[in-house]
Amino acid sequence: MSDPDYKGYWKENLKLLAICLTIWFICSFGFGILFVELFNKVNFLGYPLGFWFAQQGSIIVFLILIFFYAIKMNKLDRKYNLQED
């Protein structure tokens, strides 16, 4: 594999990682801390939504992002012919 292929691979990898971390930051810090008063006006599963995001939501979003990242990285590995045999 040539150098430009590695650079393209890492560029796409870092872009995907930045997107995932931004989503997680918004859900955990933004929804659970910064905008908690706004979200607490809405109930979700019997609890205020801000409390839910602070206690459960950010963890669930993180787990979803792990699976999303793994699926996208497998596709990226195949695109650059770096998949495991």
Side-chain angles (χ1 to χ4, degrees):
M1 185 183 245
S2 64
D3 246 358
D5 291 331
Y6 282 125
K7 288 180 182 179
Y9 175 80
W10 281 109
K11 183 178 178 182
E12 288 189 51
N13 182 9
L14 291 177
K15 180 181 175 183
L16 178 62
L17 187 62
I19 290 168
C20 289
L21 288 175
T22 301
I23 292 170
W24 188 44
F25 177 79
I26 290 169
C27 288
S28 62
F29 190 75
F31 295 166
I33 297 172
L34 294 178
F35 304 115
V36 70
E37 296 300 323
L38 177 68
F39 286 109
N40 276 342
K41 295 176 184 175
V42 177
N43 282 335
F44 181 74
L45 298 176
Y47 296 98
L49 188 59
F51 173 79
W52 186 85
F53 264 109
Q55 298 301 314
Q56 302 294 328
S58 60
I59 296 169
I60 293 170
V61 169
F62 182 67
L63 291 174
I64 291 168
L65 286 173
I66 289 173
F67 287 106
F68 172 77
Y69 180 77
I71 291 167
K72 294 298 272 187
M73 281 305 297
N74 282 335
K75 289 180 182 177
L76 188 64
D77 287 347
R78 284 192 298 274
K79 177 180 176 182
Y80 286 92
N81 199 24
L82 294 171
Q83 69 273 9
E84 295 179 11
D85 292 328

